[in-house]
């Protein structure tokens, strides 16, 4: 039977999803809680990876080896990089790259040594289904978040973007670093700390992968704000609403 693996880095990012898994069973592997449950009759294993590429890769490997998932989705928050990628928007990855991978001069900058690639492609069908679900959710954000959160976070006309997400073991919180990343990787839409690692693991196992991130900050000097409150009130709820639509349409 089909079984989707769902990863988020931090508990608040998955809180609204876990609230909707009525029958979940918990199993601990390598210090992570894996919740096995059903959503609209479809099997799901949800897990928190913790932060960073190694933590995400460990988690994804166990998800595949121990829980037999046949596709993987990563969800959570990201910093917006490209102009027009605003707080409250959603980014669905079409490709993912590790911006801190640099084995030059042995291999070209960003290339993952011995794979021949810097960019790992997200599964087109899975990504498209999530992007469509996200567009439907963002068309009326107040239905998911309530009018207070829409006003508090100034979520006027949130958009769904599809393109490159970059990952690295750094929370990007200065304008200088954001400008440098945009200069080096002009097509990068958003930055986070796990997605490209999971994309690489899924590539190695030949499994479809998709990433869906809500933009929590602009990865610049203002990237402190009330991160936790934004995750609770916006990102976690968007993730749950998008997945709800995705599963109900399967
Ligand atoms: N996740 C959310 N915002 C981020 C940022 N600015 N840098 C890295 N990961 C993030």
């Amino acid at each position: 039977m089909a079984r989707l693996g769902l990863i988020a880095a931090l508990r608040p990012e998955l809180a609204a999803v876990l609230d909707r898994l009525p029958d979940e069973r918990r199993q601990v592997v390598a210090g992570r809680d894996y919740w096995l449950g059903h959503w609209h009759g479809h099997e799901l294993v949800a897990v928190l990876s913790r932060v960073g590429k190694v933590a995400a890769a460990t988690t994804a490997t166990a998800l595949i080896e121990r829980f037999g998932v046949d596709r993987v989705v990563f969800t959570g928050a990201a910093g917006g990089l490209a102009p027009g990628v605003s707080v409250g928007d959603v980014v669905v990855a079409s490709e993912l790259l590790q911006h801190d991978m640099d084995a030059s001069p042995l291999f070209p900058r960003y290339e993952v040594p011995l794979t021949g690639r810097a960019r790992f492609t997200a599964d087109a069908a899975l990504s498209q289904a999530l992007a469509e679900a996200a567009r439907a959710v963002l068309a009326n954000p107040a239905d998911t978040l309530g009018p207070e959160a829409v006003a508090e976070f100034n979520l006027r006309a949130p958009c769904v973007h599809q393109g490159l997400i970059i990952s690295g073991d750094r929370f990007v919180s200065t304008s200088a670093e954001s400008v440098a990343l945009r200069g080096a990787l002009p097509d990068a839409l958003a930055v986070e700390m796990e997605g490209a690692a999971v994309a690489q693991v899924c590539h190695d196992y030949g499994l479809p992968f998709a990433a869906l991130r809500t933009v929590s900050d602009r990865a610049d000097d203002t990237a402190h704000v009330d991160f936790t409150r934004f995750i609770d009130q916006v990102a976690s709820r968007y993730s749950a609403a998008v997945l709800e639509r995705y599963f109900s349409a399967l």
Side-chain angles (χ1 to χ4, degrees):
M1 183 167 177
R3 180 182 280 183
L4 184 137
L6 177 66
I7 314 178
L10 299 168
R11 181 160 187 122
E13 291 175 300
L14 214 55
V17 165
L18 295 177
D19 286 347
R20 294 197 198 193
L21 292 180
D23 63 341
E24 86 265 14
R25 284 186 297 117
R26 189 173 65 100
Q27 208 171 309
V28 180
V29 176
R32 270 80 160 171
D33 289 329
Y34 289 78
W35 288 277
L36 292 81
H38 291 86
W39 206 338
H40 288 286
H42 302 282
E43 282 193 34
L44 172 76
V45 185
V47 59
L48 303 172
S49 62
R50 307 176 189 162
V51 176
K53 292 184 299 169
V54 173
T58 305
T59 307
T61 306
L63 194 53
I64 295 165
E65 288 281 357
R66 299 282 287 268
F67 297 93
V69 300
D70 61 10
R71 60 207 192 282
V72 176
V73 172
F74 204 108
T75 194
L81 283 178
V85 179
S86 307
V87 170
D89 287 358
V90 164
V91 180
V92 176
S94 54
E95 297 180 301
L96 300 102
L97 168 149
Q98 297 176 40
H99 67 77
D100 53 358
M101 172 59 76
D102 188 356
S104 61
L106 302 182
F107 296 89
R109 189 170 177 197
Y110 305 123
E111 189 170 300
V112 177
L114 308 177
T115 66
R117 64 174 70 224
R119 293 174 183 234
F120 289 81
T121 311
D123 183 75
L126 184 54
S127 303
Q128 210 49 43
L130 291 173
E132 273 163 31
R135 276 191 201 99
V137 169
L138 266 59
N140 291 300
D143 289 355
T144 301
L145 310 176
E148 298 83 8
V150 169
E152 177 180 348
F153 295 101
N154 201 18
L155 307 174
R156 289 276 166 264
C159 304
V160 178
H161 308 267
Q162 287 181 269
L164 176 66
I165 291 183
I166 60 175
S167 313
D169 285 322
R170 264 198 316 271
F171 190 89
V172 179
S173 59
T174 66
S175 299
E177 186 169 5
S178 172
V179 166
L181 286 172
R182 276 187 274 149
L185 295 160
D187 62 335
L189 298 180
V191 60
E192 35 84 312
M193 301 180 69
E194 297 85 17
V198 178
Q200 184 181 335
V201 171
C202 289
H203 172 80
D204 288 348
Y205 279 93
L207 290 185
F209 171 73
L212 171 114
R213 296 277 193 168
T214 301
V215 177
S216 56
D217 59 87
R218 279 288 305 166
D220 58 13
D221 302 321
T222 64
H224 52 87
V225 227
D226 202 340
F227 186 74
T228 314
R229 189 163 164 74
F230 182 87
I231 302 299
D232 282 345
Q233 299 295 313
V234 182
S236 166
R237 291 168 194 224
Y238 276 167
S239 295
V242 170
L243 288 160
E244 168 78 35
R245 276 192 171 261
Y246 169 75
F247 280 117
S248 66
L250 281 183

